[in-house]
Amino acid sequence: RALMELKQCSAAAAKELMQQCEEQQLTTQQFYGLLQAWLPNRTLVDKTPSYALDLEILRRAERDFTGTRYLHLRRHPYAMIRSFEEARLEQVFFRHQHHFSQRQLAELVWLVSQQNILQFLATVPAERQYQVHFEELVKKPETVLRGVCEFLGLAYESEMAAPYQSQTKRMVDGIHPLSKMLGDVKFHQHST
């Protein structure tokens, strides 16, 4: 979806471009460099919650990229577990064989993610990490987002605090007209 947006192309053309990158055996570092090169006057920000399930992925980000800054999004476990259950994230987020109930899996995802994040961040200089509390973000989006932007060295844009407006410009759709986005599966259930 990011390639479609950056190159203003169809899903088929984006898949072909991705295939070319794979055939060139680009590393993650090289591929992100390519994406950044296609973003003149903008900064690539990766927001992938599943990285927290694998401590080695977090460590690799620190090895492969210089001066990386980390946002630690914290959320109360009850809210995260309830959201995980409502969105049925076990169907898309964690597809390995297991014997846990949906609720147990949600709690384990939260627990392991937090343990990995805290263990990883203990090795990162404090000036390169920033905590955001989800509940505070929802209550005071502009204040929290201004802090995030200051930390990341990005200009604050008022549209950041209004994620449900101008959705056609926000990549909140799938790669095909009838497909859904792979991000926040409950995004379209909200208006503010």
Side-chain angles (χ1 to χ4, degrees), residues 149-165:
C149 287
E150 184 178 329
F151 168 71
L152 294 174
L154 301 173
Y156 174 76
E157 301 285 340
S158 61
E159 293 84 13
M160 293 175 179
Y164 303 105
Q165 275 120 37

Side-chain angles (χ1 to χ4, degrees), residues 83-101:
S83 182
F84 188 100
E85 291 176 309
E86 288 174 9
R88 304 200 50 83
L89 288 179
E90 78 283 355
Q91 295 177 0
V92 294
F93 192 75
F94 191 85
R95 297 168 63 179
H96 304 287
Q97 280 287 42
H98 60 82
H99 62 276
F100 301 108
S101 70

Side-chain angles (χ1 to χ4, degrees), residues 8-150:
Q8 292 296 297
C9 66
S10 67
K15 285 181 182 181
E16 186 177 317
L17 181 56
M18 191 70 226
Q19 181 67 36
Q20 291 169 7
C21 291
E22 290 172 4
E23 287 169 2
Q24 293 174 41
Q25 297 183 345
L26 295 183
T27 64
T28 302
Q29 186 179 23
Q30 291 168 328
F31 183 69
Y32 278 29
L34 186 59
L35 293 177
Q36 183 61 61
W38 291 336
L39 284 166
N41 306 316
R42 295 169 69 189
T43 301
L44 177 66
V45 177
D46 185 349
K47 181 192 85 72
T48 308
S50 60
Y51 292 166
L53 286 171
D54 189 331
L55 189 55
E56 187 51 36
I57 289 175
L58 298 175
R59 289 178 177 147
R60 210 169 79 202
E62 187 66 6
R63 279 193 313 267
D64 290 354
F65 301 96
T66 304
T68 304
R69 294 180 172 267
Y70 301 95
L71 291 174
H72 179 190
L73 178 62
R74 300 189 64 166
R75 186 174 188 191
H76 193 283
Y78 292 156
M80 178 275 179
I81 291 166
R82 187 171 48 252
S83 182
F84 188 100
E85 291 176 309
E86 288 174 9
R88 304 200 50 83
L89 288 179
E90 78 283 355
Q91 295 177 0
V92 294
F93 192 75
F94 191 85
R95 297 168 63 179
H96 304 287
Q97 280 287 42
H98 60 82
H99 62 276
F100 301 108
S101 70
Q102 183 186 37
R103 185 170 194 81
Q104 289 171 327
L105 181 61
E107 185 173 345
L108 284 169
V109 165
W110 183 90
L111 181 64
V112 170
S113 294
Q114 293 308 308
Q115 287 174 337
N116 286 345
I117 290 167
L118 293 174
Q119 183 178 346
F120 169 70
L121 289 177
T123 69
V124 174
E127 63 270 10
R128 290 198 291 117
Q129 48 182 295
Y130 190 81
Q131 279 192 8
V132 172
H133 294 264
F134 180 82
E135 292 78 7
E136 190 70 16
L137 173 62
V138 172
K139 289 179 192 171
K140 300 177 184 174
E142 183 176 343
T143 302
V144 172
L145 291 170
R146 282 187 183 278
V148 168
C149 287
E150 184 178 329

